[in-house]
Amino acid sequence: MRENNLKINFNPGPAALPYVVLQEASEAILNYNNTGLSILSIPHRGKLFTDILEESKQLVKELCGIGDDYEVLWMQGGGRMQFCMVPMNFLSQGQIAAYVDSGYWSADAIAHANYYGDVKVLSSSQQDNYRHLPAWPSGIPAGTAYLHFTTNNTIYGTQWKDIPSCTVPLIADMSSDIFSMRRKYTNCDLFYAVAQKNIGPAGATLVVVKKDLLHKVNPGLPPMLSYAGHAKAGSVLNTPPVFAIYTSLLTLRWTKEKGIDNIESENKTKASLLYEEIERNDLFVCNVHEADRSTMNVCFGAANKTLEKKFIDYCEQRNITGIEGHRSVGAFRVSLYNAITVADVLHLVAVMQEFENLNKS
Ligand code: PMP
């Protein structure tokens, strides 16, 4: 066990949060800022929460390098709700919704969009089992309402490091790598991220949308299903997940204090340490194309399949948890979100080496 008695948690989400965030959040449950109130019991339209909302929105803008031409919204319903709301809000009759299909969650976004209208997949790496990113679309068909893509493919371990510019509104699912590196967020007209990876607890979803795009929201939607409705109500259209947003604010403060550049460089170090060990150690294999490998989710397997369960069990004995691959693909996935330290990864690498010694043929 480490000093804080917590396991090294490589789960993909809900994922590990910085320990200091957990401490501050637990103190706030007992008595929020010496107000004599638990954070779980403050009114969502009162000043205490309004201040939390305002600071969190400001920090998101700062961390993404965006200005007041964007609206920051806290919403609910997770990634799948965004998969519905994007076409519901921006796809009209006679238009096309364009998608890049780079993995499980892109495909799920496409499946959800199909309920609403004409969808065109402009490029896909599905035929190659998503082991690499597809080519970025070279042309956008006339009548395209927006182009949607997923910056980091949580299940297959690939990642777009750059955000290209686009001639139609560009919409990005950044659920598994927001705030992990310096990026050109301003190339997106809308981006969203579930909280439970680099932001905070499950239950809150961050949406950042260009105010210009809000003018294109389809009319006639009930406010709860309309980005314009949520923007008008300042993220308190209904009772928001107060605790999840507060804990997200604590992580945003931690992120700012650490600095995106430092976070980016640590994330690169963590990922290289692990990929290098996978390459060096004959027991493990990574089939993801090198140029496209994610710094957030390292997906790999055992050269000998019969050792997979054994390695997972061995890790559990050595205080490491959460390395099983997604149920759809199996094998291993180690999620290296911002709260994971270089020391955590060094421990995993040491355990991989012990395992190698124990299983030498
Ligand atoms: N998009 C991405 C990139 C994800 O990784 C996930 C969940 N891991 C989702 C969407 C789906 O989120 P939810 O479970 O909140 O619907």
Side-chain angles (χ1 to χ4, degrees), residues 35-214:
T35 53
L37 291 170
S38 164
I39 188 74
L40 302 182
S41 317
I42 62 166
H44 62 288
R45 294 183 200 280
K47 181 162 168 34
L48 288 178
F49 186 63
T50 309
D51 288 349
I52 290 170
L53 264 185
E54 276 321 302
E55 186 186 343
S56 69
K57 291 180 180 184
Q58 204 43 50
L59 276 174
V60 168
K61 286 186 183 172
E62 248 182 80
L63 291 169
C64 297
I66 55 170
D68 290 336
D69 48 337
Y70 283 84
E71 192 78 53
V72 178
L73 306 173
W74 287 106
M75 299 182 63
Q76 296 172 72
R80 289 165 177 89
M81 187 61 155
Q82 294 309 307
F83 297 169
C84 299
M85 280 189 66
V86 166
M88 208 188 282
N89 278 255
F90 301 119
L91 179 59
S92 317
Q93 262 213 323
Q95 289 184 315
I96 293 164
Y99 282 74
V100 175
D101 173 25
S102 54
Y104 184 99
W105 295 112
S106 307
D108 205 33
I110 293 163
H112 280 77
N114 273 318
Y115 284 92
Y116 297 97
D118 282 341
V119 176
K120 204 168 167 76
V121 178
L122 300 189
S123 72
S124 171
S125 49
Q126 195 251 332
Q127 279 206 322
D128 231 349
N129 276 331
Y130 299 119
R131 280 181 306 176
H132 55 83
L133 292 171
W136 189 255
S138 50
I140 307 281
T144 297
Y146 61 83
L147 175 66
H148 178 283
F149 81 117
T150 312
T151 51
N152 183 72
N153 298 289
T154 325
I155 292 175
Y156 291 92
T158 58
Q159 182 179 31
W160 301 91
K161 306 285 185 323
D162 297 315
I163 301 174
S165 55
C166 190
T167 51
V168 295
L170 183 62
I171 297 185
D173 175 357
M174 296 197 184
S175 292
S176 48
D177 70 349
I178 194 163
F179 307 134
S180 68
M181 65 172 90
R182 195 162 281 284
R183 268 210 158 128
K184 207 151 193 251
Y185 289 91
T186 48
N187 276 351
C188 295
D189 297 81
L190 185 153
F191 53 94
Y192 59 87
V194 300
Q196 63 264 23
K197 299 164 195 297
N198 266 341
I199 308 179
T205 307
L206 182 64
V207 177
V208 181
V209 53
K210 224 174 189 171
K211 286 179 181 163
D212 278 354
L213 192 61
L214 288 175

